[in-house]
């Protein structure tokens, strides 16, 4: 037995034992959690007086969590936007909550942060204070913190604020692939539809650059305006000058205080001690934990519901099986929509979209499911950080579309990218022998370059999909062909730009969308509760699915160990572009980390 084979056997044994152990453990925990929650309203879980709601968003904030709540053994600060918005609404009326403290640490997503800012502003109407404490803050962190009554910054030379501004970088790989003997054939429907062009070009196209610059300039101006308006001592002109002409990457704590960016310099432990109130120690709680401890207060007595269905991630044609846990799959989302459409207690549906798009076919299937629900009850779309390309496609049929001013949307266009590796096969000395019947049986051949006839066929196909995409948007939005052509072509818009072009109806967040949906259903605020979907997964189911993914990774590792020098690994990777259900994409050009 070779060392590679022995290693594979060991990995298999370890994986099997690990799976069995964890499944037994998960089953036990799942049972324990079911029992534990029955006692979750005990006196020990009640909040202490003078408790502060602590919001500490970090990185890319998730819109919604469907995984089980693991906080029964630890206090998780990674609250979703959904949890933070709900906690703020509840805490405003809770006598045990003294106020809100914001401690952002590298948070991103302008539209997400704006929605959170608005919710914090609403909380302030309760008369309770909102404080922000910063250590080393980014300009996004400061954007969120600026809505607070007072901003505290850690003193000393290691702290400060970095006003980095907005930048976007991407790597063009045409030359890299050519050295490997690989060429990507990328076809677009829409002049500004730059998705995947980095695979086939040496530099950014003029159209894509113009589209980006138009969007980024709006995001930049809105950042300056909203941040400066939130701080009485900070002018738009001063903030603009700081970002465009500032001489320091990180503005030191003393400088920030002198310029009015913050109100005081104070260590976090000192601030906590000052805010402990009547308690022996400072008491704070995350949004996730707060909702868990106050769950009995938020249980709706009225069965009539407005359902908020979250659709987050790239759109794929998958069937929602065990290995398709992330993103939006057509089967899973259409099933959720159909169940809500048939539920007599649900009087209206809010589809919360946070997606850059994906498979054109899957997007079309979801759009048709939205239309079927719309025949039974109102459907309102709430756009999150991004709802573009396929994310816009699945939104287009809604009764009303609500977006944040700095949401990214539009990008109405289609793209396909197919590789050919004729030169790679020659370098490897590989030869493909085939037996086929049918004119197009060998259409998807990796070992030869695309012919003019193949390109014509693909061009006709993506043009027809683009025409259907536009037709669906025209019907959903009530636009003429000329009106749509002026805003389509794959061009990206911010929410405020989209409002001017009738691609969305209203600016606001998910709560605004809920209120609009309720009014359309003829409901008054006292008539309904709000339920969120997909429902949180059972702990056992969640662990089982995660383990299946890990087993798949073990199999891939075993494959690599068995044939570490096998060039077929690269060929299999490239062949994925030929998936018949996925090779036509309604996808944003790049991934934005704004």
């Amino acid at each position: 037995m070779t060392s590679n084979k022995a290693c594979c056997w060991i990995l298999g044994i370890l994986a099997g034992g690990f799976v069995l152990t964890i499944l037994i453990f998960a089953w036990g925990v799942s049972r324990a959690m079911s029992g534990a929650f029955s006692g979750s309203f005990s006196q020990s879980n009640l909040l202490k007086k003078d408790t502060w709601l602590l919001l500490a968003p970090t990185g890319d904030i998730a819109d919604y969590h469907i995984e089980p709540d693991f906080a029964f053994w630890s206090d998780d600060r990674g609250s979703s936007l959904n949890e933070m918005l709900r906690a703020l609404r509840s805490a405003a009326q809770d006598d045990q909550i003294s106020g809100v403290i914001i401690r952002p640490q590298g948070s991103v997503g302008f539209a997400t942060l704006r929605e959170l800012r608005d919710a914090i502003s609403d909380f302030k109407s309760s008369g309770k204070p909102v404080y922000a404490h910063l250590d080393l803050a980014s300009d996004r962190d400061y954007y969120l913190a600026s809505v607070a009554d007072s901003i505290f910054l850690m003193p000393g030379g290691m702290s400060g604020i970095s006003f980095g501004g907005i930048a976007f970088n991407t790597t063009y790989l045409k030359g890299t692939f050519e050295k490997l003997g690989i060429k990507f054939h990328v076809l677009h429907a829409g002049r500004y539809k730059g998705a995947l062009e980095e695979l086939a070009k040496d530099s950014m196209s003029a159209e894509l650059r113009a589209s980006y610059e138009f969007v980024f300039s709006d995001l930049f101006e809105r950042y300056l305006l909203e941040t400066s308006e939130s701080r009485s001592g900070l002018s738009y002109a001063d903030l603009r000058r700081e970002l465009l002409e500032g001489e320091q990457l990180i503005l030191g704590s003393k400088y920030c205080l002198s310029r009015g960016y913050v109100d005081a310099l104070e260590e976090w432990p000192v601030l906590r001690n000052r805010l402990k109130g009547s308690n022996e120690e400072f008491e704070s709680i995350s949004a996730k934990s707060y909702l868990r401890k106050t769950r009995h207060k938020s249980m709706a007595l009225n069965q009539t519901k407005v359902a908020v269905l979250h659709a987050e991630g790239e759109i794929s044609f998958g069937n929602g099986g065990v290995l398709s846990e992330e993103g939006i799959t057509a089967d899973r989302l259409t099933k959720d929509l159909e169940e809500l459409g048939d539920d007599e207690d649900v009087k209206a549906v809010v589809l919360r979209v946070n997606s850059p798009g994906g498979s054109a076919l899957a997007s079309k299937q979801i759009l048709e499911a939205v239309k079927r629900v719309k025949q039974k009850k109102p459907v309102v779309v709430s756009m999150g950080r991004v709802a573009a390309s396929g994310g816009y496609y699945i939104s287009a049929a809604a009764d009303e579309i609500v977006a944040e001013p700095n949401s990214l949307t539009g990008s109405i266009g289609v793209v396909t990218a197919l590789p050919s590796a004729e030169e790679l096969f020659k370098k490897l000395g590989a030869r493909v022998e085939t037996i086929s019947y049918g004119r197009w049986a060998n259409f998807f051949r990796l070992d030869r370059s695309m012919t003019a006839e193949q390109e014509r066929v693909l061009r006709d196909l993506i043009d027809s999909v683009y025409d259907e995409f536009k037709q669906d948007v025209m019907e959903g939005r009530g636009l003429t062909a000329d009106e749509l052509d002026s805003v389509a072509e794959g061009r990206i818009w911010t929410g405020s730009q989209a409002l001017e072009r009738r691609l969305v109806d209203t600016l606001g967040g998910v709560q605004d969308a809920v209120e609009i949906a309720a009014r359309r259903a003829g409901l008054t605020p006292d008539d309904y509760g709000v339920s969120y979907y997909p429902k949180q997964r059972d702990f056992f189911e969640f662990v089982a699915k995660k383990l299946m993914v890990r087993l798949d990774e073990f199999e891939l590792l075993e494959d690599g160990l068995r044939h570490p020098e096998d060039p077929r690994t690269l060929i299999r990777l490239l062949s994925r572009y030929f998936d018949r259900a996925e090779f036509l994409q309604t996808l944003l050009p790049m991934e934005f980390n704004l």
Side-chain angles (χ1 to χ4, degrees), residues 321-347:
V322 74
L323 296 182
S324 56
E325 191 156 327
E326 304 298 328
I328 302 168
T329 58
D331 280 9
R332 188 168 58 216
L333 187 55
T334 54
K335 181 175 181 290
D336 289 339
L337 285 165
E338 287 165 359
E339 288 177 354
L340 294 176
D342 293 337
D343 190 335
E344 294 182 357
D345 292 333
V346 173
K347 304 303 180 184

Side-chain angles (χ1 to χ4, degrees), residues 99-154:
V100 168
I101 297 177
I102 315 167
R103 296 203 75 211
Q105 298 171 349
S107 52
V108 297
F110 278 130
T112 301
L113 294 174
R114 189 182 194 280
E115 194 160 357
L116 186 53
R117 274 170 51 100
D118 287 346
I120 294 171
S121 294
D122 291 341
F123 174 89
K124 289 168 67 175
S125 64
S126 68
K128 299 179 182 181
V130 174
Y131 300 132
H133 187 275
L134 306 174
D135 294 320
L136 182 59
S138 68
D139 45 13
R140 276 70 161 174
D141 292 333
Y142 189 74
Y143 175 62
L144 178 61
S146 64
V147 76
D149 296 306
S150 300
I151 301 178
F152 300 90
L153 178 63
M154 173 183 167

Side-chain angles (χ1 to χ4, degrees), residues 77-119:
R77 290 168 61 187
S79 303
S80 67
L81 176 64
N82 173 279
E83 289 163 336
M84 287 188 279
L85 298 181
R86 290 161 55 202
L88 284 163
R89 287 196 297 273
S90 179
Q93 312 300 323
D94 192 334
D95 293 338
Q96 303 300 100
I97 296 293
S98 294
V100 168
I101 297 177
I102 315 167
R103 296 203 75 211
Q105 298 171 349
S107 52
V108 297
F110 278 130
T112 301
L113 294 174
R114 189 182 194 280
E115 194 160 357
L116 186 53
R117 274 170 51 100
D118 287 346

